[in-house]
Amino acid sequence: LGKCLLSPIVLAAYAYNRSLSELGPGGRTEGGPGVLCQLFAFLMAFFGLAPTLLLLAMALECWLSLGHPYFYRRHLTRRLGATLGPVVAGLCALFCALPLLGFGVPMQYCPGTWCFIRMAGGGPRQLGFPVLYASLMGLLVLAIGACNVSSMRHLYGMARRQPRRGPPAAAAPRMEELDHLILLGLMTVLFTICSLPLIIRAYMGAFAADFNENADLSALRFLSVNSIVDPWVFIIFRTSVFRMFVRRVCRRLN
């Protein structure tokens, strides 16, 4: 949904050879961002935070189902899962709308085809939101990493308890757990690598006054890469050829 909403705006800016502030209604007023630029900054912040919260919900569900199955069976229901998505989206929308209300400043970045929250320069009122946003993202990254590491530990323990030798049917559960273990590890590493640059840039801009639009653009690209690469990692890893290759490598290592 984020790609479908944001990409046409960027393509329109290139097609008309105009910046987002000039393209949208309102135009540029005293150097400030236009309405389209403010909307773009809101969508960028929203679609950076909302999927991360949903990833946390998935990581918690995986951790509880593996490590605390009785609690998971008793308290986690389908109704809870169905209501979690709209609640998360509503809370993220309220939080990301704070710059539109004056707490934080939407800013157009070079080359004028994307907007985000100002991450350097200005007073505490302008820099308070990016620091809060980066802190929340950092806490989410730590929580997701901790849940996934705990889930990986449970999967590894389950795999070790399976018989190592015997007929193929006896070894199948162990290899299935190892498949999930490796997939979870890959996605955790990718998510961490793609999320950290934005967190680092927000803190550097707020406390070190490091204003570097190219570095900010690279951090936003890293954040966007995560949502592009993760589905492909999942799709490729679930193919029979790739899983057979991983299993052969595991047997060689054993």
Side-chain angles (χ1 to χ4, degrees):
L1 182 60
K3 296 293 184 291
C4 292
L5 291 176
L6 290 169
S7 298
I9 301 176
V10 179
L11 295 176
Y14 276 110
Y16 289 100
N17 196 25
R18 300 172 66 183
S19 67
L20 296 184
S21 294
E22 298 170 341
L23 189 64
R28 192 180 280 273
T29 58
E30 299 180 358
V35 175
L36 188 61
C37 183
Q38 296 180 29
L39 175 63
F40 194 95
F42 167 77
L43 292 176
M44 285 286 290
F46 176 80
F47 287 110
L49 185 61
T52 309
L53 281 171
L54 290 178
L55 283 176
L56 176 61
M58 295 168 64
L60 282 171
E61 194 247 0
C62 184
W63 170 62
L64 288 173
S65 64
L66 291 172
H68 305 276
Y70 295 110
F71 179 89
Y72 174 82
R73 180 71 175 176
R74 176 176 296 181
H75 296 285
L76 271 70
T77 62
R78 291 182 179 270
R79 180 176 298 179
L80 177 62
T83 58
L84 191 61
V87 170
V88 168
L91 292 176
C92 288
L94 291 175
F95 178 77
C96 295
L98 290 177
L100 303 179
L101 302 176
F103 184 66
V105 178
M107 176 182 172
Q108 178 177 280
Y109 284 82
C110 183
T113 55
W114 70 287
C115 296
F116 195 64
I117 310 303
R118 177 189 291 272
M119 292 190 288
R125 188 177 180 87
Q126 288 76 26
L127 297 180
F129 180 80
V131 171
L132 187 60
Y133 187 89
S135 301
L136 181 57
M137 287 286 292
L139 291 175
L140 292 176
V141 170
L142 289 176
I144 292 170
C147 290
N148 285 345
V149 168
S150 180
S151 299
M152 291 163 62
R153 183 174 62 84
H154 288 299
L155 285 170
Y156 181 71
M158 293 165 62
R160 285 180 61 89
R161 288 192 291 269
Q162 296 291 336
R164 290 179 176 273
R165 295 183 180 180
R174 180 172 179 268
M175 294 309 303
E176 186 73 18
E177 287 146 5
L178 286 177
D179 288 341
H180 289 294
L181 174 66
I182 296 172
L183 176 62
L184 195 59
L186 283 174
M187 298 185 76
T188 302
V189 171
L190 283 172
F191 169 73
T192 304
I193 292 175
C194 293
S195 301
L196 284 179
L198 178 65
I199 299 172
I200 295 172
R201 285 302 308 165
Y203 278 108
M204 290 182 64
F207 298 108
D210 183 17
F211 186 76
N212 188 339
E213 290 193 18
N214 290 329
D216 294 341
L217 178 59
S218 298
L220 265 295
R221 282 174 174 166
F222 267 98
L223 190 65
S224 300
V225 162
N226 179 65
S227 61
I228 299 172
V229 173
D230 262 351
W232 282 105
V233 170
F234 185 81
I235 292 170
I236 293 172
F237 192 83
R238 299 303 292 179
T239 59
S240 58
V241 176
F242 192 81
R243 295 175 72 180
M244 185 62 66
F245 169 75
V246 171
R247 293 180 181 186
R248 287 181 179 178
V249 171
C250 291
R251 291 193 186 100
R252 293 279 182 96
L253 293 177
N254 286 335

